[in-house]
Amino acid sequence: MSSQWLNLLRLFQSRLSQRITLWVFISLIFIESLILIPSYYRRKHELLCQLEDVSGEVVESVVRLTQQNMSTIVFGEEVVKLTRGSQVILGVAIYQENGQPMGIFGESPTLSFQDIQQSDLPHVRKWQGQRYDVAWSAEKLGKPYIIIIRHDASSIQPQLYAFILRIAGLVLLISLFVTGTTMLVLGKTVIVPILKLRQDLINAGEAISHNQLTPNFYALSVQRHDELGDVMTAFNQMFQRITWEISERQRTAENLRVEKEKSERLLLNILPEPIAERLKQNPTCIADGFTEVTILFADIVGFTKLSERISPTELVNLLNEIFSAFDHLTEKHNLEKIKTIGDAYMVASGLPTPRPDHAAVIAEMALDMQQEIQQFNTMHNTDLSIRIGINTGAVVAGVIGTKKFIYDLWGDAVNTASRMESHGLPDSIQVTTATYQHLHDNYEFQERGIIPVKGKGKMMTYFLTRKKDPDI
């Protein structure tokens, strides 16, 4: 029993319960009040009629006295006896038909003969709280008299108050009972399911925001064949639809993310990251000038003869292995690979982000490339060598065109670097005077001397041999 009361109290805590309770209670009070008002006047009429019944007997007695031949004094004494013999009759006033008073006995009524003449009613009444005056016509009894009886009505109002209290108490009890019963029925059939459905909505939001599985919804465990059941069914369908849509969007987003990463990797394999970002923001022609960069060209000597002895697939696999090793060196030294042309490899330093040690890192790259070729020969029992040319100078770098674009370099410094490679010797790293000026303090060189260079004329060149020992 106590748990039921607790559940009832919890129902009253909800705003919907409070509103329903208030409106049910007010409606019942209003309806009962409409019933109480006519009941009040009916009860008042009944109590006054009881007084009139007493005064009717007095009127008959007065009429009988008038039928006897007695003096006015004796008549008055008899009428006074009548008033004293009744607990509610306080006075009697008798008028002839012409208004001539025959006598006023006991307490004088406030209802006058003039009031009676102005009224068309057979009975004229006047209630003044403690007193109640009633005018009677004795014509029906065979006497042309008007008799006004004054009653003691002091008990009428207390009785009416007691009647109102009884009815009001009954109305209150009925209202409380009907309200409580309504709340119990509505609570079990409507309010509790609504509160649980609200919790289902909260749980659904949490599940969706945290990407959880379907919670144990109350709406899934109840089968109702009414409007609230339709709402629960619609809620379940909505949640399933939302979770499916979210799953589809997440799957699509994941696929887009994977594809975007693939595109990013592919783009970064073609272009430097800063250049790729610029193209994303503004896909137009890019051309930047750099005052001082170092460019390296490398060509594998003996690769053409090797291609005559092995299959094309094996040839491509070997070349891929060599260039993949060079790519690893490029990442190691943080250089920018420009392109490969056949069995030639081009790399640059100092762009697209300038750096002060551009010549030194290219020198390290060239020495490591020689070692990689030696390791390749040992591993595959081949006799390949590499010819490397390096130059330092100003270039223009950028991206042109709209299809199959690459990050490329233009300028005399690029052409000169290419001539250093093509006019070099196998297993040698030939550099120009400009590059030599940057490196001679930390690297050992062998002076080759002045050589004719196609398109450039005679130039002084050097062979880079190794890095100087810092301990010497």
Side-chain angles (χ1 to χ4, degrees):
M1 181 64 69
S2 60
S3 62
Q4 294 179 354
W5 281 107
L6 289 175
N7 292 333
L8 180 62
L9 291 176
R10 293 192 187 98
L11 293 178
F12 278 93
Q13 292 176 356
S14 67
R15 293 187 295 272
L16 180 60
S17 301
Q18 293 171 359
R19 291 178 182 177
I20 293 176
T21 303
L22 179 62
W23 281 109
V24 170
F25 186 77
I26 291 176
S27 300
L28 290 173
I29 293 294
F30 178 74
I31 293 172
E32 296 294 340
S33 298
L34 294 178
I35 298 173
L36 175 61
I37 293 173
S39 299
Y40 168 81
Y41 286 103
R42 186 167 52 251
R43 180 58 179 166
K44 173 184 172 182
H45 180 72
E46 291 175 354
L47 293 174
L48 294 177
C49 286
Q50 291 176 8
L51 294 179
E52 292 183 13
D53 291 341
V54 175
S55 63
E57 296 175 358
V58 173
V59 169
E60 292 178 0
S61 299
V62 171
V63 171
R64 285 194 300 268
L65 290 175
T66 59
Q67 293 174 352
Q68 301 176 11
N69 294 323
M70 59 181 66
S71 64
T72 303
I73 297 174
V74 175
F75 177 76
E77 292 177 349
E78 292 297 326
V79 173
V80 170
K81 289 180 181 180
L82 288 175
T83 59
R84 291 177 179 176
S86 175
Q87 296 180 352
V88 297
I89 303 299
L90 299 178
V92 179
I94 303 174
Y95 295 90
Q96 293 182 1
E97 197 172 27
N98 58 4
Q100 185 68 30
M102 295 180 60
I104 297 176
F105 308 96
E107 186 176 327
S108 177
T110 57
L111 189 63
S112 65
F113 185 78
Q114 288 76 15
D115 296 331
I116 298 171
Q117 286 182 322
Q118 295 175 0
S119 176
D120 296 332
L121 300 175
H123 276 31
V124 180
R125 304 173 177 86
K126 188 175 183 179
W127 183 34
Q128 292 179 320
Q130 301 292 326
R131 299 294 181 261
Y132 181 56
D133 297 340
V134 180
W136 294 82
S137 174
E139 290 183 356
K140 293 183 179 180
L141 300 175
K143 296 292 180 178
Y145 301 133
I146 298 298
I147 302 172
I148 301 175
I149 308 296
R150 190 167 182 81
H151 303 80
D152 181 7
S154 59
S155 63
I156 299 296
Q157 198 64 53
Q159 291 185 62
L160 289 176
Y161 287 152
F163 176 77
I164 291 174
L165 289 175
R166 290 195 300 272
I167 296 299
L170 183 61
V171 168
L172 183 61
L173 289 175
I174 293 174
S175 300
L176 291 175
F177 175 77
V178 173
T179 302
T181 304
T182 303
M183 282 305 304
L184 286 175
V185 175
L186 287 177
K188 184 176 181 180
T189 58
V190 177
I191 296 175
V192 169
I194 288 177
L195 293 177
K196 291 186 177 180
L197 186 59
R198 180 186 67 178
Q199 188 61 43
D200 283 353
L201 289 171
I202 296 174
N203 294 336
E206 291 291 329
I208 291 173
S209 63
H210 294 88
N211 197 21
Q212 297 175 349
L213 298 176
T214 303
N216 187 19
F217 289 136
Y218 166 79
L220 293 175
S221 62
V222 176
Q223 295 292 331
R224 294 178 60 124
H225 303 286
D226 53 15
E227 288 77 7
L228 192 56
D230 295 339
V231 172
M232 292 181 178
T233 301
F235 165 76
N236 294 328
Q237 294 174 351
M238 177 199 70
F239 181 79
Q240 296 298 329
R241 178 69 177 179
I242 290 175
T243 53
W244 182 81
E245 291 287 348
I246 291 176
S247 299
E248 287 299 310
R249 291 185 180 183
Q250 290 176 342
R251 189 178 300 109
T252 302
E254 179 63 21
N255 292 336
L256 288 175
R257 186 189 64 81
V258 172
E259 293 301 323
K260 183 179 179 181
E261 289 180 354
K262 291 180 180 178
S263 300
E264 290 285 341
R265 288 195 299 268
L266 182 60
L267 187 60
L268 293 179
N269 280 335
I270 300 173
L271 301 175
E273 184 174 357
I275 301 302
E277 292 298 326
R278 288 171 61 182
L279 280 177
K280 290 180 188 176
Q281 298 173 7
N282 188 16
T284 59
C285 173
I286 294 177
D288 300 315
F290 297 90
T291 58
E292 197 171 66
V293 298
T294 300
I295 308 103
L296 179 150
F297 279 90
D299 185 71
I300 300 174
V301 180
F303 197 81
T304 303
K305 293 182 179 180
L306 180 63
S307 64
E308 298 174 355
R309 302 197 307 266
I310 61 177
S311 67
T313 302
E314 291 177 320
L315 180 69
V316 171
N317 290 335
L318 291 177
L319 187 61
N320 179 66
E321 183 177 345
I322 295 172
F323 283 177
S324 296
F326 291 170
D327 290 342
H328 176 71
L329 293 176
T330 301
E331 294 178 359
K332 173 184 174 182
H333 296 293
N334 195 22
L335 301 174
E336 193 61 47
K337 175 185 175 181
I338 304 302
K339 58 186 174 181
T340 59
I341 305 172
D343 58 354
Y345 193 90
M346 179 182 178
V347 64
S349 175
L351 54 78
T353 302
R355 55 189 297 181
D357 60 342
H358 53 87
V361 290
I362 283 289
E364 295 293 330
M365 174 73 181
L367 294 173
D368 289 343
M369 292 172 78
Q370 286 182 332
Q371 293 182 2
E372 285 293 337
I373 291 297
Q374 294 175 5
Q375 294 175 6
F376 179 85
N377 289 332
T378 303
M379 182 180 300
H380 296 279
N381 194 24
T382 56
D383 189 20
L384 300 177
S385 60
I386 187 169
R387 186 173 58 243
I388 299 174
I390 302 175
N391 182 40
T392 301
V395 299
V396 174
V399 179
I400 58 175
T402 58
K403 291 184 177 180
K404 296 183 180 180
F405 49 77
I406 64 169
Y407 186 66
D408 208 349
L409 308 181
W410 300 274
D412 183 68
V414 179
N415 296 330
T416 302
S418 176
R419 295 291 186 267
M420 289 297 102
E421 178 272 317
S422 61
H423 290 69
L425 300 177
D427 292 326
S428 67
I429 305 172
Q430 182 169 241
V431 304
T432 62
T433 302
T435 304
Y436 172 79
Q437 294 296 330
H438 283 82
L439 300 175
H440 68 87
D441 290 336
N442 298 312
Y443 291 85
E444 294 184 2
F445 290 88
Q446 177 183 348
E447 183 180 319
R448 184 180 184 184
I450 298 175
I451 62 171
V453 177
K454 183 180 179 180
K456 297 295 295 180
K458 295 182 178 182
M459 293 184 63
M460 184 68 179
T461 63
Y462 303 85
F463 289 130
L464 171 65
T465 56
R466 64 176 181 173
K467 188 174 184 179
K468 289 183 179 179
D469 190 345
D471 296 333
I472 300 176

